Amino acid sequence: MLDVIIVGGSVAGLSAALVLGRARRRVIVFDTGTPCNRFSHASHGFFTQDGTAPTDLRATGLQQLQPYSTVEAQSVAVSVVESDVDGMRVRTADGITHSARTVLLAYGLSDQLPAVPQIERFWGTSVFHCPYCDGWEVRDQPVAVYGKGDDAFHKAMMVHNWTRDLVICSDGTADLSSEKRDLLARQGIQLLETPITTLEGSATLEAVRFDDGTRLARRAMFIQPVSTHQADFAQQLGCILGERGLVQIDLFGRTSVPHIYAAGDVANPLRSVAGAVAQGASAAAGINLDLIMEDFQ
């Protein structure tokens, strides 16, 4: 029987696999190669790796697992995760069943973009969700924030730290109170409620086109996508979900269900590579400690 099965092989899963491999644990990582950040041109804010492409980070992570003979990575989807009398049982899409003492859920999130024509063309290159990740690259440039209500207001407050040339494009009624409209105006943040026709540009965003025929030159746009789990194993297993549907965990990645751990975007509201790496390492330490304690009972 394996010690750990890791469902998801992006940075959180690979970080955990590295720590577990060095702890001499028998591990399999299952991954489909579709991390949420695969659309990003670069990963920023990760110490020593600032500006590295996410695909390169993953490739390096897999390469650095090779010296650890007890760790295996397989490119196959997981179809079933369930409790077994001796631990956990995982079945993959190829019909093979694997047993392990514990499971780490690190399969990340999927982002649903707003229904704005052409937005997919610019996602990850000039349409972003995280100003910490991409704000520096568009500092002092003309930037738009897309959205309505408190989400748009909060995003604009954040992005304003990087550029003062900022416009909220609400694509219809903004759903903002008069007090918040006044706050935006005092900060020099313009609010446009005209419906959007399309986004324009070649390699990157160049302008927002509106239904009334007007055109707003912009070099980037920040949005708040609707994010959901890439799989529903946490829900099926009965893990408690908290704010924004994220899996509730302790500092060592333990969920509310014994033998089930979680790390990365499914459990962290601050979506970043650095945070996911740290959570993966913490979860691995928690798993290893719990297995040691079980063995000494």
Side-chain angles (χ1 to χ4, degrees):
M1 176 181 287
L2 296 163
D3 292 311
V4 190
I5 290 175
I6 300 177
V7 184
S10 189
V11 290
L14 294 181
S15 173
L18 177 62
V19 174
L20 290 164
R22 292 182 58 80
R24 308 185 71 181
R25 293 298 179 184
R26 293 161 295 171
V27 181
I28 292 184
V29 182
F30 294 115
D31 187 62
T32 59
T34 56
C36 193
N37 66 358
R38 66 189 183 278
F39 301 103
S40 299
H41 64 292
S43 170
H44 293 290
F46 182 23
F47 181 62
T48 76
Q49 297 296 323
D50 188 48
T52 303
T55 52
D56 292 341
L57 283 177
R58 184 173 180 274
T60 300
L62 287 169
Q63 181 183 23
Q64 292 186 351
L65 287 178
Q66 292 180 5
Y68 305 101
S69 59
T70 59
V71 178
E72 180 183 355
Q74 293 189 15
S75 298
V76 62
V78 170
S79 54
V80 176
V81 180
E82 56 190 2
S83 297
D84 192 10
V85 63
D86 296 319
M88 302 300 302
R89 184 167 58 241
V90 170
R91 186 166 68 248
T92 50
D94 55 10
I96 299 175
T97 298
H98 306 262
S99 296
R101 297 171 68 183
T102 62
V103 167
L104 172 62
L105 304 177
Y107 44 74
L109 302 175
S110 293
D111 290 326
Q112 180 182 340
L113 304 184
V116 178
Q118 302 301 317
I119 195 171
E120 293 87 356
R121 291 180 53 209
F122 307 113
W123 179 232
T125 59
S126 50
V127 173
F128 310 112
H129 77 93
C130 173
Y132 288 106
C133 302
D134 297 290
W136 170 262
E137 281 65 40
V138 297
R139 65 194 184 280
D140 299 324
Q141 296 185 38
V143 173
V145 166
Y146 178 91
K148 303 176 186 292
D150 290 342
D151 283 345
F153 181 81
H154 177 74
K155 186 77 72 175
M157 287 173 50
M158 296 291 293
V159 177
H160 190 248
N161 185 66
W162 281 268
T163 181
R164 296 297 187 263
D165 190 351
L166 186 61
V167 178
I168 295 178
C169 299
S170 61
D171 201 12
T173 304
D175 296 331
L176 288 171
S177 66
S178 58
E179 291 81 8
K180 288 184 176 177
R181 289 172 183 264
D182 290 342
L183 282 171
L184 293 172
R186 288 202 296 270
Q187 293 295 332
I189 300 174
Q190 187 179 357
L191 174 61
L192 292 179
E193 298 181 87
T194 309
I196 295 173
T197 300
T198 190
L199 302 185
E200 299 177 344
S202 52
T204 58
L205 180 66
E206 296 175 8
V208 181
R209 178 77 67 177
F210 298 96
D211 281 1
D212 62 3
T214 58
R215 184 177 184 270
L216 176 69
R218 297 287 96 176
R219 293 296 172 263
M221 174 181 281
F222 283 87
I223 67 172
Q224 186 61 48
V226 176
S227 300
T228 56
H229 291 208
Q230 286 210 27
D232 58 1
F233 301 131
Q235 297 92 320
Q236 292 175 6
L237 291 164
C239 299
I240 294 176
L241 305 184
E243 186 181 358
R244 301 179 187 176
L246 301 178
V247 182
Q248 286 190 355
I249 58 172
D250 67 7
L251 291 177
F252 289 98
R254 302 181 185 98
T255 72
S256 58
V257 179
H259 309 296
I260 303 296
Y261 302 74
D265 287 354
V266 295
N268 191 347
L270 299 176
R271 298 173 62 183
S272 72
V273 168
V277 169
Q279 273 199 331
S282 295
I287 291 169
N288 189 56
L289 175 61
D290 291 347
L291 292 178
I292 288 172
M293 297 304 294
E294 285 184 8
D295 291 340
F296 272 79
Q297 287 183 356

